[in-house]
């Protein structure tokens, strides 16, 4: 089997002493995939290891890839992604993907953390109360999306739909995006990863490309995220994401 030294090194970093059964049953596939995902892609798309693992985990939740998520979660913990960061990734998936799709990932995450001797629940990361969630959420929303944009959304929303906009401010941003555990730049990369992995969310994906720029993530960083996710989401969603990226931030 001709798996490169770089691919072996990067794979071993995540999964020390792992014996892959697929190397026995599907050696040609593993040769192609490992050389691509653990050498070529990592070499071409420069993200630090923990950020790379966090966006991959977010993508796998959106893609409903539970079995691979569990494997990759082990690797993420091995290279320094913290239990709190892991929980924040899962929690942040709820407003973007829905609890019905996140439910199994919550339980899988808990099982893996507990198997490593990590006591649950972890330290709470919430910063809002029922009384402050709307106000604080609106503040974060304006930081991420842009104050003028948010004000126009409220102004132009039909009266019978304004409650959805209030939910976005209080629930999506107030309950989740105000949490501690990771900064807004990282949270926006997670949102970008989830939306491109879901597919069919191109209008929201474009909005969060702008939001990433607003919080300090440049086009190259977003392109690095897309490149790192390619082996896990495939070419159609990758090319759609690049199309959105080029439309919002032209070359």
């Amino acid at each position: 089997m001709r798996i490169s030294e770089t691919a072996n090194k990067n794979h071993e970093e995540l999964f020390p002493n792992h014996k892959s059964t697929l190397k026995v049953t599907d050696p040609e596939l593993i040769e192609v995939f490992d050389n691509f995902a653990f050498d070529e892609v990592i070499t071409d798309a420069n993200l630090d290891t923990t950020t790379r693992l966090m966006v991959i985990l977010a993508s796998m939740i959106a893609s409903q890839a539970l079995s691979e998520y569990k494997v990759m979660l082990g690797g993420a913990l091995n290279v320094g992604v913290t239990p709190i960061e892991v929980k924040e990734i899962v929690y942040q998936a709820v407003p973007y993907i829905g609890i019905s799709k996140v439910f199994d990932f919550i339980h899988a995450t808990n099982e893996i953390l507990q198997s490593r001797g990590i006591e649950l629940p972890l330290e709470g990361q919430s910063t809002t109360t029922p009384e402050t969630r709307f106000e604080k959420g609106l503040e974060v929303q304006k930081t991420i999306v842009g104050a003028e944009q948010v004000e126009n959304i409220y102004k132009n929303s039909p009266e019978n739909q304004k409650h959805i906009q209030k939910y976005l401010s209080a629930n999506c941003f107030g309950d989740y995006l105000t949490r501690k555990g990771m900064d807004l730049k990282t949270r926006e990369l997670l949102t970008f990863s989830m939306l491109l992995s879901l597919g069919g969310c191109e209008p929201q994906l474009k909005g969060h490309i702008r939001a990433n720029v607003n919080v300090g993530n440049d086009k190259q960083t977003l392109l690095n995220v897309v490149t790192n996710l390619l082996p896990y989401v495939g070419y159609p969603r990758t090319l759609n994401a690049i199309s959105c990226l080029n439309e919002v931030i032209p070359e």
Side-chain angles (χ1 to χ4, degrees), residues 194-233:
M194 293 175 197
L195 293 175
L196 78 86
S197 303
L198 278 170
C201 300
E202 281 70 28
Q204 290 75 25
L205 183 61
K206 292 174 189 176
H208 279 279
I209 290 169
R210 297 184 188 94
N212 268 277
V213 172
N214 289 343
V215 298
N217 293 319
D218 61 15
K219 183 176 184 179
Q220 187 59 53
T221 300
L222 296 176
L223 187 56
N224 289 343
V225 170
V226 175
T227 305
N228 273 286
L229 295 183
L230 169 56
Y232 306 99
V233 302

Side-chain angles (χ1 to χ4, degrees), residues 159-177:
E159 197 60 38
N160 67 348
Q161 297 168 29
K162 277 201 164 86
H163 64 290
I164 301 296
Q165 301 307 325
K166 291 178 181 177
Y167 292 165
L168 273 169
S169 299
N171 178 240
C172 182
F173 290 93
D175 290 336
Y176 295 99
L177 275 296

Side-chain angles (χ1 to χ4, degrees), residues 56-150:
I56 289 172
L57 290 176
S59 170
M60 287 179 173
I61 299 171
S63 298
Q64 294 292 277
L66 181 59
S67 295
E68 187 67 5
Y69 170 85
K70 290 192 259 188
V71 173
M72 198 60 74
L73 175 53
L77 293 168
N78 288 340
V79 296
V81 178
T82 69
I84 283 177
E85 287 171 332
V86 170
K87 274 300 186 89
E88 290 307 306
I89 294 167
V90 179
Y91 288 6
Q92 189 167 321
V94 174
Y96 293 103
I97 299 168
I99 192 66
S100 61
K101 291 185 176 181
V102 180
F103 190 79
D104 289 341
F105 291 85
I106 298 171
H107 285 293
T109 300
N110 290 341
E111 289 168 9
I112 290 170
L113 292 178
Q114 288 174 320
S115 74
R116 292 185 174 226
I118 297 165
E119 187 176 346
L120 299 178
L122 301 176
E123 180 184 355
Q125 300 299 310
S126 178
T127 66
T128 62
T129 66
E131 294 75 28
T132 65
R133 62 199 281 266
F134 176 80
E135 179 184 354
K136 289 190 174 183
L138 185 63
E139 181 181 349
V140 171
Q141 185 182 13
K142 288 181 176 181
T143 298
I144 294 173
V145 178
E148 185 177 352
Q149 177 75 2
V150 173

Side-chain angles (χ1 to χ4, degrees), residues 185-201:
K185 289 180 70 174
T186 304
R187 288 189 180 279
E188 267 307 301
L189 289 181
L190 297 179
T191 302
F192 176 71
S193 303
M194 293 175 197
L195 293 175
L196 78 86
S197 303
L198 278 170
C201 300

